[in-house]
């Protein structure tokens, strides 16, 4: 399993889960992906870190311990690596976004922030200190892809180019499917989809996470055994066999095999 030492600025470097039931989440993801978990001390608010064979892959936080956290649905978030979280916050507001959580130091770990992009999707930023992000990517049981779904497609492409320095490539530009990637081809690290075709009743703008698995169908069966639910059954695509599921508390995630 190749180790990842660092993440280029602007690229996804971490995911974490806001959960209403930390114990249930630890059990579910541990059984599903083989993740081990560790709970941090009071100085880190009891933050949970997940690891796969000793390599860090994700985090989780008890949303009930957060101010007003109980009002939001359980959900996964994506963080992009930045060199300067405050400079990024300034760029966010200058380019049509909003600062939801101002840059804040996490003792010995780094600096985090949360922003709202012009399409209404929240995205985290992480300025690394002692914690540099994922230890492994795109291996079975680890994060495999990150994808923004938005109806403000053109504005969002420009926003991520200008604020996070994305080097973008147009993967598809038809009325039925508009898609842009961060990086090109096999070197791409994330994608952005135009959700206008979903109509006004489609889901709100959001970042989706994909977890790599060896066998999508087996993983979907295991999701159901463990108390999760299947939203979209496995289907073959040019990019692998994909499925969409929720964990026992309703947090949405995707599988790619």
């Amino acid at each position: 399993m190749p180790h990842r030492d660092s993440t280029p600025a602007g690229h996804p470097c971490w995911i974490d889960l806001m959960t209403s039931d930390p114990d249930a989440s630890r059990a579910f993801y541990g059984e599903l992906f083989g993740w081990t978990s560790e709970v941090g001390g009071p100085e880190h608010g009891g933050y949970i870190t997940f690891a796969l064979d000793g390599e860090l892959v994700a985090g989780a936080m008890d949303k009930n311990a957060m101010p007003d956290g109980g009002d939001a649905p359980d959900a996964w978030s994506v963080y992009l690596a930045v060199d300067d979280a405050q400079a990024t916050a300034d760029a966010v507001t200058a380019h049509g976004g909003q600062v939801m959580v101002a840059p804040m130091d996490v003792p010995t770990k780094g600096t985090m922030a949360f922003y709202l992009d012009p399409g209404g999707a929240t995205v985290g930023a992480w300025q690394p200190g002692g914690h540099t992000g994922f230890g492994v990517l795109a291996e079975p049981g680890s994060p495999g892809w990150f994808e923004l779904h938005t109806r403000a497609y053109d504005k969002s492409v420009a926003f991520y180019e200008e604020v996070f320095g994305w080097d973008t490539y147009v993967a598809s530009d038809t009325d039925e499917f508009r898609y842009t990637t961060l990086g090109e081809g096999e070197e791409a690290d994330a994608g952005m989809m135009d959700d206008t075709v979903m109509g006004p009743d489609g889901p709100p703008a959001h970042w989706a996470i994909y977890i790599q698995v060896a066998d999508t169908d087996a993983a979907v069966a295991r999701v159901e055994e463990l108390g999760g639910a299947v939203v979209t059954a496995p289907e073959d695509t040019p990019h692998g066999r994909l499925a969409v599921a929720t964990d026992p508390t309703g947090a949405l995630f995707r599988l790619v095999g």
Side-chain angles (χ1 to χ4, degrees):
M1 183 179 295
H3 173 75
R4 182 180 175 121
D5 290 314
S6 62
T7 301
H11 290 233
C13 65
W14 193 241
I15 57 173
D16 67 11
L17 173 68
M18 290 294 285
T19 175
S20 56
D21 191 337
D23 291 338
S25 297
R26 294 174 70 190
F28 175 81
Y29 291 102
E31 291 288 341
L32 181 59
F33 299 127
W35 291 355
T36 56
S37 56
E38 183 176 324
V39 180
E43 70 276 15
H44 295 126
Y47 190 83
I48 299 163
T49 51
F50 291 108
L52 176 67
D53 295 333
E55 298 286 1
L56 296 180
V57 290
M61 187 72 183
D62 183 355
K63 73 175 188 180
N64 298 308
M66 305 292 289
D68 301 322
D71 296 333
D74 289 17
W76 283 95
S77 296
V78 173
Y79 294 76
L80 306 181
V82 298
D83 294 326
D84 185 327
Q86 185 56 58
T88 302
D90 295 340
V92 164
T93 55
H95 291 93
Q98 299 177 46
V99 177
M100 304 299 290
V101 177
M104 58 180 290
D105 289 334
V106 180
T108 74
K109 302 297 184 181
T111 303
M112 66 157 287
F114 263 99
Y115 311 124
L116 195 71
D117 72 22
T122 57
V123 61
W126 182 254
Q127 179 183 329
H131 173 59
T132 56
F134 304 122
V136 62
L137 275 180
E139 296 288 333
S142 71
W145 188 246
F146 317 89
E147 189 171 77
L148 174 66
H149 290 249
T150 182
R151 291 181 183 80
Y153 181 76
D154 293 329
K155 287 183 178 180
S156 295
V157 170
F159 177 82
Y160 286 91
E161 288 175 336
E162 294 162 349
V163 175
F164 292 100
W166 276 31
D167 182 15
T168 58
Y169 291 83
V170 177
S172 179
D173 193 22
T174 67
D175 291 341
E176 296 78 20
F177 184 55
R178 300 176 73 201
Y179 200 92
T180 291
T181 61
L182 165 60
E184 186 176 14
E186 293 184 358
E187 300 301 316
D189 264 358
M192 189 182 307
M193 181 181 292
D194 184 356
D195 264 7
T196 305
V197 295
M198 302 291 286
D201 296 327
H206 66 282
W207 273 92
I209 67 160
Y210 289 74
I211 305 297
Q212 193 87 24
V213 292
D215 184 326
T216 306
D217 295 80
V220 161
R222 191 68 175 131
V223 164
E224 294 182 307
E225 291 172 1
L226 294 168
V230 177
V231 177
T232 304
E235 58 181 345
D236 291 323
T237 77
H239 307 291
R241 191 159 173 79
L242 308 181
V244 184
T246 58
D247 67 19
T249 68
L252 193 77
F253 63 97
R254 299 169 186 240
L255 301 165
V256 54

